[in-house]
Amino acid sequence: DARALANEMAHQASHDELTGLVNRREIGRRLARLLDQAKLRGGQHALCYIDLDRFKLVNDTCGHEAGDRYLCRFVATVQARLRQVDWMGRLGGDEFAVLLQDSTLEQAEAVMARVYAALAATAFEWGGRASDMICCPGVVEIHANAPDVDWLLRAADTACYVAKEEGRNRVRCYRESDQTLVRRRREFDWVAKVRLAIAERRLLLYAQRIEALDGQASLQYEVLVRLRESDGRVIEPGAFLPAVERYGQAMMVDRYVVDAVAALLAANPAHLERLELCHVNVSAQSVVDPSFLDHLGRLFDR
């Protein structure tokens, strides 16, 4: 009984409860093992990143039970096109990973094209409503020169994103010679760096003075943001803010900045007494988001 319980707990820790697929943690472990084997003995495999486009729509309009059935139908359709040596995992939400054992990019692209065609021909009906299954698989090759598991997942995710950008309904393979994909991966890397910098409080605030041309003495400035790398280098906003905005993550930077400015002013009442004007730039994404405006209102109230 103890052994059975231990096995059940181990299975729950490594598998997704709804679909029965391996979860993100187990996906990482398996990919790390395959990458180590490729570095030791050679060989190549293909990692496919699949983002299911219509899941959120089904979930929001038909309810969570419909969303769960939709995901399970999707998983069953994909698994029916895989070999026994291949496996599928759920990264979270509507994001999935498929591992094609001993496959080249070209072979994986052909498999994903068949998967896509099967999904496109599958209609999901619930409560009198029908929804199709559309996805844009991104594929990356696992070989001895791949840096690590995080790189593999980001590269496959980047290929998936570019497939969507190019009009969906297609499979995109990650190749280092493809400058569009390389540029997008760098942008993904910047988003990850900014998230980490916020967590480690490495976004720095600078104040640029605003001086009156008529010489009137007053304290006015604009608040600017910089990112300090873990090695101490200070990065200008032009390097990371465009990527953050492209992927809809600008609000995390805006919240950090306005919170930090408010905390600094509150902690320095003598400075605040002298301050006539303080400009803080925020993105259009934040301006139109009700949750950001509510946060700003509560911040001013405090």
Side-chain angles (χ1 to χ4, degrees):
D1 287 346
R3 188 179 296 112
L5 179 61
N7 290 337
E8 183 182 351
M9 291 176 65
H11 184 272
Q12 290 176 352
S14 61
H15 287 72
D16 175 58
E17 183 179 0
L18 173 65
T19 62
L21 301 175
V22 293
N23 59 20
R24 177 179 283 272
R25 182 182 299 175
E26 181 64 17
I27 290 169
R29 278 199 289 260
R30 292 187 179 191
L31 290 178
R33 192 161 57 241
L34 283 170
L35 191 54
D36 289 342
Q37 291 172 1
K39 291 179 185 296
L40 285 173
R41 299 192 291 271
Q44 58 188 17
H45 315 285
L47 171 64
C48 311
Y49 186 105
I50 304 178
D51 188 342
L52 192 54
D53 287 353
R54 298 292 171 83
F55 168 66
K56 190 175 188 305
L57 180 64
V58 172
N59 216 32
D60 291 347
T61 58
C62 300
H64 294 296
E65 184 181 354
D68 290 349
R69 295 282 185 87
Y70 186 80
L71 286 181
C72 291
R73 179 81 174 274
F74 163 75
V75 169
T77 303
V78 175
Q79 286 185 314
R81 272 76 192 171
L82 303 181
R83 303 165 299 175
Q84 283 192 336
V85 293
D86 304 326
W87 52 262
M88 184 178 185
R90 187 181 183 189
L91 290 162
D94 56 358
E95 298 173 343
F96 296 83
V98 173
L99 190 285
L100 301 177
Q101 192 90 15
D102 300 318
S103 294
T104 64
L105 273 182
E106 291 71 21
Q107 291 168 333
E109 189 173 13
V111 172
M112 285 297 104
R114 290 196 295 272
V115 166
Y116 174 81
L119 289 171
T122 302
F124 177 80
E125 295 186 5
W126 186 272
R129 295 182 178 182
S131 180
D132 50 9
M133 292 189 172
I134 298 177
C135 65
C136 299
V139 186
V140 65
E141 191 175 290
I142 301 174
H143 50 68
N145 295 326
D148 53 38
V149 170
D150 286 341
W151 184 92
L152 288 170
L153 288 169
R154 287 200 306 273
D157 188 12
T158 301
C160 175
Y161 185 89
V162 171
K164 289 185 176 184
E165 252 190 356
E166 292 177 342
R168 305 176 187 270
N169 305 340
R170 67 192 67 215
V171 181
R172 200 65 152 82
C173 294
Y174 184 91
R175 293 180 174 88
E176 287 288 354
S177 58
D178 190 324
Q179 290 305 305
T180 300
L181 285 168
V182 170
R183 186 169 62 253
R184 289 289 180 270
R185 184 174 62 79
R186 287 174 182 158
E187 290 176 343
F188 273 158
D189 289 346
W190 273 121
V191 173
K193 283 185 177 182
V194 171
R195 285 188 178 280
L196 184 60
I198 288 175
E200 296 179 352
R201 305 195 67 78
R202 287 189 286 103
L203 282 190
L204 310 177
L205 302 185
Y206 283 68
Q208 178 168 280
R209 287 289 295 267
I210 300 172
E211 297 286 355
L213 292 176
D214 60 10
Q216 288 185 7
S218 63
L219 180 58
Q220 300 185 11
Y221 51 74
E222 177 182 7
V223 175
L224 307 174
V225 67
R226 305 281 187 270
L227 186 150
R228 187 178 68 238
E229 291 270 37
S230 52
D231 61 5
R233 291 183 300 124
V234 176
I235 307 299
E236 297 287 324
F240 60 88
L241 283 184
V244 168
E245 290 184 337
R246 172 182 285 276
Y247 293 105
Q249 302 297 307
M251 192 163 66
M252 68 177 178
V253 175
D254 293 341
R255 280 200 178 207
Y256 179 92
V257 171
V258 297
D259 287 355
V261 169
L264 285 168
L265 295 179
N268 295 275
H271 174 83
L272 181 57
E273 185 68 26
R274 293 173 49 231
L275 181 61
E276 181 178 337
L277 195 63
C278 170
H279 289 273
V280 180
N281 297 310
V282 296
S283 74
Q285 293 171 12
S286 297
V287 170
V288 299
D289 191 303
S291 66
F292 178 79
L293 301 180
D294 289 343
H295 176 78
L296 208 57
R298 289 192 298 271
L299 183 67
F300 286 155
D301 289 342
R302 287 201 305 273

